[in-house]
């Protein structure tokens, strides 16, 4: 790990003179191949056979053997494969985790857990539980950040939809089968523009929440509390780069999709509408697979940028390295976390949406049919539900991404040793490793 970036957020650089991953030199294993005293050399530097105690009666040698003295014959006792007697005369105490004897094996000691996760490779359940535990343990900071970002984001969206995007003429044109092509084109353009603006506002809120919650989750791994102010001071220098990273990833995604659709567009422009449309669909589907593959490869770039204080390009390179060989696992965990977060959020948002529709305009029927007007009552009540839903989704998605990043670094780079030192765990990773 000497050539990889360190755990920059908690500041757990290893002490001088110690390199992670190294071990103390083992004692020389110069044991002779035969145990027969008569076959051993009798020079001054070779006294193994004279000082070897009989089997089953281990004790430290009391002194050099007298010249010509022959070791006593071994008394009958337990053989090589037997368990040594309890409480040996020499006072030998087995090291922790070795089962209490030569033949007993108790397995490795449990991993240290100074914070919300144990410091070892994590399972899927432990990653999800760590994200929820962070939200539960540091709920004041986590919910404070999520609530602030969600309220600011939703207020901007409501004002935009109420004053700028609430065009009932465009909605009627989309629902009118007899609308002309120009009317449909104008309505689709306005709808696409409005959706894009709302998406960008939501994206800005998501980036801000992710930046702040990344710091909170990284401290929660070490068991250290962090206030909202501390999280902002730690994340603020990297926020502009995080925005650049997100927009670069969006540009890559839309660029790949545009390249996939381009052949079909050219064919349609040449006069073959049916073949062009079919080629556009196939091209977009193929480009979508490529875009998904790239997004998962770069999915850990955000925590790498925030915690390692990396540049945009370097953080993308770090994500590629960490995800390599674990693409399907990263995809599955992120997909599962997204499904769980959105299901929980939908349980909150959907009742608020129907309540808003019932109290406004043409009621629930108009909302379902798409003929209802998005009045202020509907926007405010549904906005409250969206704020509550964002308070749930922000911590879960950000927490899972950060814990996935930490898990991959533990598996590939031994980050658990640095985290243990940063958390002040005494003796972690310095003793003998069972089975090594």
């Amino acid at each position: 790990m000497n050539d990889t970036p360190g755990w920059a957020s908690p500041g757990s650089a290893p002490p001088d003179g110690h390199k992670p991953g190294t071990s103390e030199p083992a004692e020389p294993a110069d044991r002779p191949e035969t145990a027969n005293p008569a076959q051993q050399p009798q020079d001054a530097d070779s006294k193994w056979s004279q000082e070897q105690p009989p089997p089953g009666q281990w004790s430290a040698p009391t002194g050099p053997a007298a010249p010509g003295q022959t070791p006593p014959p071994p008394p009958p006792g337990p053989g090589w494969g037997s368990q040594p007697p309890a409480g040996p005369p020499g006072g030998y105490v087995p090291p922790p985790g070795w089962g209490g004897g030569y033949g007993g094996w108790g397995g490795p000691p449990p991993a240290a857990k100074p914070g919300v996760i144990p410091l070892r490779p994590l399972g899927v359940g432990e990653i999800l539980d760590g994200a929820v535990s962070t939200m539960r343990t540091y709920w004041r900071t986590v919910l404070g950040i999520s609530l602030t970002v969600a309220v600011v984001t939703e207020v901007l969206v409501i004002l935009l939809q109420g004053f700028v995007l609430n065009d009932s003429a465009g909605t009627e044109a989309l629902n009118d089968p007899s609308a002309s092509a120009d009317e449909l084109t104008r309505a689709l353009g306005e709808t696409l523009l409005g959706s894009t603006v709302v998406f960008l506002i939501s994206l800005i809120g998501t980036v801000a929440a992710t930046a702040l919650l990344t710091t909170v989750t990284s401290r929660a791994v070490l068991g250290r509390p962090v206030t909202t102010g501390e999280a902002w001071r730690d994340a603020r220098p990297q926020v502009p780069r995080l925005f650049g990273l997100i927009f670069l990833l969006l540009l890559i995604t839309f660029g790949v999709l545009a390249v996939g659709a381009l052949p079909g567009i050219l064919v349609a422009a040449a006069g073959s509408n049916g073949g062009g449309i079919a080629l556009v669909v196939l091209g977009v589907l193929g480009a979508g697979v490529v875009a998904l593959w790239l997004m998962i490869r770069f999915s850990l770039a955000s925590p790498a940028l925030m915690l390692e204080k990396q540049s945009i390009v370097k953080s993308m390179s770090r994500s590629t390295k960490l995800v390599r060989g674990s693409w399907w696992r990263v995809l599955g965990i992120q997909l599962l976390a997204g499904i769980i977060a959105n299901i929980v959020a939908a349980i909150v948002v959907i009742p608020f949406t129907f309540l808003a529709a019932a109290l406004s305009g043409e009621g629930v029927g108009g909302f379902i049919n798409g003929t209802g007007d998005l009045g202020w009552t509907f926007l405010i009540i549904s906005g409250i539900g969206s704020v509550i839903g964002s308070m749930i989704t922000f911590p879960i998605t950000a927490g899972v991404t950060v814990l996935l990043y930490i898990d991959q670094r533990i598996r590939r780079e031994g980050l658990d040793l640095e985290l243990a030192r940063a958390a002040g765990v005494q003796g972690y990773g310095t003793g003998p490793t069972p089975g090594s």
Side-chain angles (χ1 to χ4, degrees), residues 137-406:
T137 305
Y138 305 96
W139 63 271
R140 288 186 178 88
T141 303
V142 171
L143 295 184
I145 292 172
S146 301
L147 177 62
T148 302
V149 174
V151 167
V152 173
T153 302
E154 197 60 34
V155 167
L156 292 176
V157 170
I158 290 175
L159 293 177
L160 187 65
Q161 291 177 334
F163 287 111
V164 180
L165 303 178
N166 191 11
D167 187 1
S168 58
T171 304
E172 293 175 359
L174 291 176
N175 296 324
D176 186 5
S178 61
S180 64
D182 292 338
E183 292 175 342
L184 290 175
T185 302
R186 178 175 175 272
L188 286 174
E190 293 176 351
T191 302
L192 181 61
L193 177 61
S195 301
T196 302
V197 174
V198 171
F199 171 76
L200 290 177
I201 294 176
S202 302
L203 177 64
I204 292 173
T206 302
V207 170
T210 301
L212 298 175
L213 293 173
T214 295
T215 301
V216 175
T217 306
S218 67
R219 300 293 180 87
V221 170
L222 303 177
R224 297 177 179 174
V226 57
T227 64
T228 304
E230 292 172 344
W232 171 244
R233 285 193 297 270
D234 189 76
R236 182 175 55 190
Q238 294 296 105
V239 169
R241 292 181 179 179
L242 184 61
F243 275 106
L245 172 65
I246 298 300
F247 283 110
L248 178 58
L249 294 179
L250 288 175
L251 184 62
I252 292 174
T253 302
F254 287 118
V256 170
L257 294 176
V259 170
L262 182 60
I265 295 175
L266 295 177
V267 171
S272 179
N273 293 331
I277 294 176
L279 195 57
V280 166
V281 173
L282 292 177
V284 169
L285 289 177
V289 174
V290 176
L292 176 62
W293 179 75
L294 289 174
M295 290 304 101
I296 297 301
R297 282 176 64 88
F298 297 141
S299 61
L300 302 184
S302 173
L305 183 143
M306 296 300 301
L307 298 179
E308 298 181 19
K309 313 300 182 185
Q310 296 289 347
S311 64
I312 295 176
V313 176
K314 184 62 178 178
S315 63
M316 295 172 67
S317 174
R318 288 283 293 150
S319 177
T320 300
K321 178 181 177 182
L322 293 174
V323 175
R324 184 181 298 120
S326 303
W327 190 92
W328 287 105
R329 180 174 183 271
V330 174
L331 170 66
I333 294 176
Q334 298 235 17
L335 183 62
L336 178 61
I339 292 174
I340 293 175
N342 284 282
I343 288 177
V344 175
I347 295 175
V348 177
V349 172
I350 291 177
F352 276 90
T353 303
F354 279 95
L355 176 62
L359 297 177
S360 63
E362 301 178 13
V364 178
F367 170 73
I368 295 177
N369 296 328
T371 59
D373 187 16
L374 297 180
W376 289 106
T377 302
F378 178 87
L379 292 175
I380 292 174
I381 296 178
S382 62
I384 294 174
S386 298
V387 167
I388 299 175
S390 298
M391 289 176 59
I392 299 172
T393 56
F394 283 161
I396 293 179
T397 54
V400 167
T401 302
V402 175
L403 294 180
L404 257 177
Y405 160 82
I406 294 174

Side-chain angles (χ1 to χ4, degrees), residues 1-2 4 6-7 10-22 112 114 119 221-222 224 409 413-431:
M1 288 184 59
N2 296 330
T4 58
W7 182 253
S12 61
D16 295 337
H18 178 77
K19 297 181 178 180
T22 60
L119 300 184
V221 170
L222 303 177
R224 297 177 179 174
R409 287 199 63 184
E413 301 173 357
L415 183 65
D416 54 327
L417 301 179
E418 292 189 20
L419 293 176
R421 283 192 293 269
V425 178
Q426 298 295 327
Y428 185 84
T430 59

